[in-house]
Amino acid sequence: MESAQAQRTGDAKKSRYVSQRALITFFIVFLGLRRDMTRVTLEEFEQHKQRILNGTNSSTFNGGIRTSGSFSGASSVFVVQAADEAYAEKMKSMMETNQKWANCMNYTYQLKTLTNTGNMYSQKVEAIHDTLEAAQENDWIIYLDADVFFQADSCDALEKSMPLQSKIGSQPCELISMTSPHTINTGVLLLKSAYATKKLVRTWLEEQQKPDKLLSFGAADQLSLQEAVISDFLGALYEGKCGNMNDQAQRNMCFKEHIPEEYRSSRQMCLIPCHDKTPLQCQDCGGDCNRTAAIFKHDSKRERYREKHGYDSVA
């Protein structure tokens, strides 16, 4: 009996060990993919910068309100970026490209200046929150990380490709972003000034401002948004399991378990999967994303900047 019990105990330990090894292997591959983010060479960017944006603004207006196009009903569409002064100078060429695109589409470009002290991720979410709260009803916010730039050949490429309704329930989209199987990427966010979106962003800010050491580096603002989304979807049924985990990768896997990918385009939330034919951008997607077809390019130099300066200046 003791021998059989010992055998079962040994088998159980071996099974747990194999599962743990598989999970560790997954995270190693995942982190490796994050490090292998698309790099933009100076030559590639200069070639893009010199290329004339061919498209024209297809929206029409009536008394300042857009009456056609994907942002129909909005009086303003804001393109918002946030960075400290040093990083804004470093990303100047990319930001100028985004300003040129915004002008082409009659959008309003805004650069929010962050400080290099305190939690940079909280400052980013606060900038998004404040812009959304100040916007008029039905206006749109297009938030771009400081290392993101518009790369499509046509000015109206975003409006031509962005989803208008969720796949489940066919509700008008009010929050649009990219999603990999285990994350919501916050490098490019489209948010409509509407009750449900504002409520979600308020919860996002509350989550991000919690005294949680995991919300001060890496994918911090993505984790806090994912927590807000789970809470919004599940309500009182959610017990905060993911937010109590002490590892970022575990929280991502917890998000995947609570909100499977096939349910992430429902109600007013329209998350675009990596394999979409025209993705917003390809950060966090690994090889399962058409980078040349993406509307924006996410040139993340975050790790190198942190190593050089000792803090993460790009939100």
Side-chain angles (χ1 to χ4, degrees):
M1 290 289 292
E2 291 181 0
S3 177
Q5 179 64 30
Q7 177 67 32
R8 286 194 295 272
T9 301
D11 289 345
K13 288 182 178 180
K14 182 177 180 181
S15 177
R16 285 197 300 271
Y17 173 77
V18 171
S19 297
Q20 289 171 354
R21 291 293 297 176
L23 193 59
I24 291 170
T25 300
F26 169 81
F27 289 137
I28 289 173
V29 172
F30 166 60
L31 291 173
L33 289 175
R34 284 186 64 85
R35 292 192 187 96
D36 191 30
M37 299 167 184
T38 304
R39 302 289 192 229
V40 182
T41 67
L42 180 61
E43 182 180 1
E44 287 174 336
F45 184 74
E46 286 302 323
Q47 289 175 354
H48 170 73
K49 188 177 178 182
Q50 296 301 319
R51 194 169 67 228
I52 297 175
L53 298 177
N54 299 320
T56 57
N57 183 3
S58 58
S59 300
T60 55
F61 298 82
N62 181 16
I65 304 297
R66 291 171 184 262
T67 58
S68 67
S70 299
F71 297 126
S72 179
S75 59
S76 297
V77 178
F78 300 94
V79 177
V80 178
Q81 295 194 275
D84 68 33
E85 292 182 357
Y87 203 79
E89 181 62 28
K90 188 179 182 69
M91 297 291 105
K92 184 177 179 180
S93 291
M94 294 184 182
M95 291 180 172
E96 287 176 347
T97 295
N98 294 331
Q99 291 178 52
K100 182 177 179 181
W101 165 62
N103 292 338
C104 181
M105 292 300 295
N106 291 320
Y107 301 158
T108 300
Y109 180 86
Q110 295 182 351
L111 174 61
K112 306 290 186 179
T113 302
L114 309 182
T115 65
N116 57 15
T117 59
N119 189 317
M120 302 297 294
Y121 300 92
S122 295
Q123 291 184 58
K124 164 183 172 175
V125 180
E126 188 173 357
I128 295 171
H129 168 272
D130 292 352
T131 306
L132 191 63
E133 290 289 334
Q136 297 183 38
E137 186 177 0
N138 295 324
D139 285 355
W140 279 83
I141 312 299
I142 303 172
Y143 173 80
L144 308 176
D145 269 354
D147 53 357
V148 170
F149 69 92
F150 183 80
Q151 72 164 4
D153 289 327
S154 171
C155 286
D156 58 359
L158 175 63
E159 292 203 29
K160 285 181 177 179
S161 65
M162 62 183 279
L164 300 179
Q165 295 182 332
S166 58
K167 293 181 179 179
I168 299 176
S170 300
Q171 295 295 309
C173 296
E174 295 182 2
L175 169 64
I176 303 172
S177 185
M178 292 295 296
T179 183
S180 70
H182 46 271
T183 65
I184 301 175
N185 187 277
T186 58
V188 177
L189 285 170
L190 280 65
L191 307 111
K192 185 177 182 178
S193 178
Y195 174 80
T197 308
K198 288 183 175 181
K199 180 174 179 290
L200 178 64
V201 172
R202 289 178 195 133
T203 304
W204 181 18
L205 182 59
E206 291 172 2
E207 290 291 337
Q208 179 58 44
Q209 291 179 334
K210 287 182 177 179
D212 183 342
K213 65 180 182 180
L214 293 186
L215 299 181
S216 61
F217 68 94
D221 55 294
Q222 294 181 187
L223 298 178
S224 54
L225 177 57
Q226 288 164 193
E227 190 73 5
V229 167
I230 298 173
S231 298
D232 183 60
F233 264 61
L234 302 184
L237 297 175
Y238 180 56
E239 299 177 347
K241 173 185 174 183
C242 301
N244 293 328
M245 293 182 168
N246 58 7
D247 180 86
Q248 287 196 348
Q250 289 178 352
R251 292 190 188 184
N252 281 335
M253 294 304 293
C254 189
F255 169 71
K256 179 181 179 181
E257 292 172 3
H258 280 78
I259 312 290
E261 198 169 2
E262 59 267 28
Y263 295 105
R264 296 180 198 167
S265 180
S266 59
R267 300 195 292 187
Q268 290 87 13
M269 185 175 74
C270 302
L271 301 187
I272 302 171
C274 291
H275 56 75
D276 191 82
K277 65 178 182 179
T278 311
L280 288 177
Q281 49 104 359
C282 292
Q283 191 83 327
D284 289 343
C285 287
D288 190 25
C289 190
N290 188 342
R291 297 178 185 277
T292 58
I295 305 299
F296 299 95
K297 195 157 191 172
H298 198 156
D299 179 40
S300 181
K301 298 184 176 70
R302 199 172 304 215
E303 295 297 329
R304 285 179 284 173
Y305 194 88
R306 185 188 294 121
E307 290 173 2
K308 180 177 179 181
H309 298 278
Y311 61 88
D312 193 352
S313 74
V314 53

